[in-house]
Amino acid sequence: MSSVPLFGTLFTVVLERNNPRRGLTGAMGCLYAAGFDPAQSDTDNMTATMRRSPALVKCLGEQPVSYAGVIATLVLLAVAGLVYWCLPKVRDRRRRLVPVEAVDADGTLRAELAALAERTGIRSDVRFRIDPARMTSGAGVHGRTGRYTVCLHAGLPARRGTDPEGFRAVVLHELAHIHHRDVDYAYAATVLWRVFVLFALLPDFALIGWAVFLVVSGTETPWWPGAAPEVLAFVTTGLLLAGLVHLARADLLRRREHHADLRAVAWGAHPANWDRPDPPGTVAPLLHRLTALLRTHPGWAERRRVLADRDHLLRVSPLEMFLAGASASMLFGSLATLPFRPLAHGALWLTVALVAPVLCIALGLPVVRASRTAGGAPGSGALPGLWLGCGLLVGEFVASGRYRVDWLLPQPLYLLAFLFIGAVPAVWWSQTLRLALGLPKRGQRRAAAVVCALVTATVLWGGLTWWRLGGERIALGGGGDLGGALARAYAEAVPGAWQDYDMDLSALSYGLSLLSPLHRQVPVGVAVLLMWLVPLVLLLWQRPGAGPRVRRTLVAGCAGGLVSWAGLALTWSVGHARRPATVKERTGPFLVVHQWWVIVTVLAVCLLTAAVVAAFSRRHWLLRAVIAAQVTQLTAYGAVFLLSSADGCLGPLNTVLDVCRWHPRNGLALGTAVTLLTLTNAVLGSACAALLGAGTAGIVRRLRGRPAVRLPAVPAPAVPVRRRPVLLKAGTVLTLGVPAVLLTVVASTQVAVTSAASPFSPKAAARGTKGPDGSPPPTQTRTMRTWQTWSWLNNGGNLHTQRINAAQLALNAELLKAAARKRDTNGQVPVDEKTFHRVCGALGKRVEEAQDYFPVPSPDLQKSWSDALSRLHHGTGRCQEAMIPPKGGPRRTDAERSQQFSASLKELAAGLRSFVAARQDIQKAATSKTK
């Protein structure tokens, strides 16, 4: 998949080698037209390009689709398949292998080899050959599906006489490779890797080197030196990709050796044959240990360790999780370059569909094996999840460098969110699967495992979605810009004395940028509901004595609910002290700020409850934490409803009203607003807080010399266990589950209904980020202004000009038709009102489309362009009103309408002259020679 963008870049450069404006076409041309400048920072570029985000999305969607990268990738795969098919024959000829009969005078060697092959039960066609050029006592196997060659080194037949057990162990080891069919995997991985490096990676590096040589030699380009970090990022991305593939390939080859060793021992090879010292190396021992992950063959000490403990292969390797995370980040970037341009959600789902099975299988196998072993105690999944998060972090940091001009992200600490994005689903899956395996029936266990896997994948998708919709923008320095846009949107929607709440509004705007990305995602809402409801059901329906008690968790949740009541009472008390004098003033900015601090209080108490429960839990700490946090959350919602409904009767806790009455509508309104932003975020935030709480508790125990107690996964009961009544179990689930399900349905419905009217819609945010006249800030150099202006014309400016001219010509044609008609007795020319209303409306529509396009990069040119469009738009509006007056407007006589029509035509003529002049100035600025 990574070869698609590489080949796409190569073909783009080749096809545009004679284009003096190469680099300013396609998607990059849209960015330059929107105001992108490599000399500016990432934050400035993001602010500039997002001023007219609908126009940018439209421009990107109108770019021609190129299948060159996909076709080249398919050709690459075909070449790799051809090499894979022909390589065994080439290898036989190159090494000049000889048949076994050439060195087996008495036929005993052939007979023993045939006996060993028959012992293994291999049905594939196996040939034995001798490599006379290699004098060691080893062997190797190569070939393809159905036809394999075991190559015996020249020293191995001689070893048969002195060490027959060692000879058989070596042959059985090679036959084990054929039995496992890992020869196909190893050869396919090796061939694909070499073909990719030769035909994709090295040409890409050569292209980057050639580009650097050109700019250093004086070639004019808008990319240098501002985009030097981006050029370096392409190199870093290629190196990271090469490193990831090599690490994955080396790990695959090492694991195949371990599995072959285990199979050879199972077939009768004696483990003592592996008691061999490692050959002395030419590098220092420290460097030898550091490069262990890069080697494709394990050392003898490691092979003996695996033979002694075969469960070692079933343990989750940090390298595997790191590779999975880094591959996921880079895979998303590659999917975004496909010609059919999948949506961000679709690309994320494809990424998760490839990564989630790796996560579930890698963490699930140790849990399943531990459940079948007495006293088995698999890990919590936190460490593999953190390694998965590290891989996501590294992959995102490197891959995002291809779209940045800063050496580092403006807010790099937000990359640490990937640790939680990887660890939360990993821990949740490990702990819930352990509970699922404790169910009494096989069908129940399988169904629960499938549900848990789906929830795990959705939670992982939700974390990546949060990053794409909010976290990435904040890390790029757009948090302040987005917060300012939201603040201005609130100031527009709720007029009032916002100057008294500057700090509150700043906290509100910044907090909403963190909370809002996921509250409209219905799949995440369903997954979050199941994230605590499924563990609750599993904990209650365990086999007698198999599961931990739930009572303490529910009690902790109720205690957190009491804390939430106290915290909300404190919030209401502070609001009472700050409230304005009149009720009207209290329903403005004060009420918005009060609502925000209620949301903060609910979230803070839920996170605190989860952290404390996780810190003091020995088993299933994440599951206990999210259950307790949910109980706290539901209790807090009840407090919000009661305090809001009883407002006016609470004395020192009154916020808006002073008259004591029951106002359930107020309680529902505030409760709905609080639920929308906390129902999903509170559970996910509680899971993250549980990780911090458990991690902090573990560090404290280690510092105090008290290691964490690891209990068996399914301990056998020492005494008869009293079964919980079924009615009590069902009552507990219904008491907590029914309100949560209803709230989830209401929140999803409310979001779908109110999303269009939300003050935080993209249009409102776009209005908040525009500069004067919608124009971007002036760029630094005349050269860059020329590049941007040319891109502005090439990616839509010329098209809008042509459309306006065509609409104007249509209006002129109708005027000429009217002028050719006979005049009436009053000397007036009759006109078709509907026709002129239509052509004036068409011209006005074209003008509106041009107004929605990017601002002209030069502020002076943007002013003349904007003024001309405004005059044309005003003239078309007057023309339409003269032909067909709007309903409800003042009534005018025919003479007044005729006069208004004539005035509109004069205004259109003047606007057209200004429009032509502005267009000529823009064309001149786009084609002028840069200095």
Side-chain angles (χ1 to χ4, degrees), residues 285-308:
L286 177 61
L287 183 61
H288 185 76
R289 288 193 296 269
L290 292 177
T291 58
L293 296 178
L294 301 177
R295 295 193 293 271
T296 58
H297 212 81
W300 288 105
E302 183 180 357
R303 298 172 73 169
R304 288 192 296 271
R305 185 165 59 251
V306 172
L307 288 177

Side-chain angles (χ1 to χ4, degrees), residues 352-378:
V352 171
L354 295 175
V355 176
V358 177
L359 173 66
C360 293
I361 294 174
L363 297 179
L365 289 179
V367 175
V368 173
R369 186 172 183 82
S371 67
R372 298 173 179 175
T373 305

Side-chain angles (χ1 to χ4, degrees), residues 56 85 90 168 279 322 346 413 422 435 472 559 750 791:
L56 180 60
W85 186 264
V90 174
R168 285 190 286 270
F322 178 83
L413 289 178
L435 289 177
E472 184 177 22
Q750 187 74 15
S791 298

Side-chain angles (χ1 to χ4, degrees), residues 464-513:
L464 297 177
T465 301
W466 176 87
W467 175 258
R468 298 299 170 191
L469 297 182
E472 184 177 22
R473 180 167 183 169
I474 299 173
L476 287 172
D481 172 69
L482 180 59
L486 295 174
R488 287 186 286 272
Y490 255 128
E492 291 181 13
V494 185
W498 283 102
Q499 64 274 8
D500 299 333
Y501 305 96
D502 288 339
M503 295 186 63
D504 302 88
L505 184 59
S506 177
L508 183 152
S509 304
Y510 191 77
L512 285 180
S513 64

Side-chain angles (χ1 to χ4, degrees), residues 851-899:
Q851 288 177 326
D852 291 336
Y853 183 56
F854 303 121
V856 183
S858 174
D860 297 335
L861 296 177
Q862 165 61 21
K863 187 177 185 306
S864 59
W865 173 262
S866 179
D867 291 342
L869 293 178
S870 298
R871 296 184 68 176
L872 287 174
H873 189 266
H874 186 266
T876 56
R878 294 187 63 187
C879 173
Q880 287 185 294
E881 291 178 2
M883 293 295 97
I884 302 178
K887 295 181 179 180
R891 301 188 63 180
R892 292 186 175 89
T893 63
D894 292 342
E896 290 174 341
R897 290 171 58 194
S898 177
Q899 185 179 4

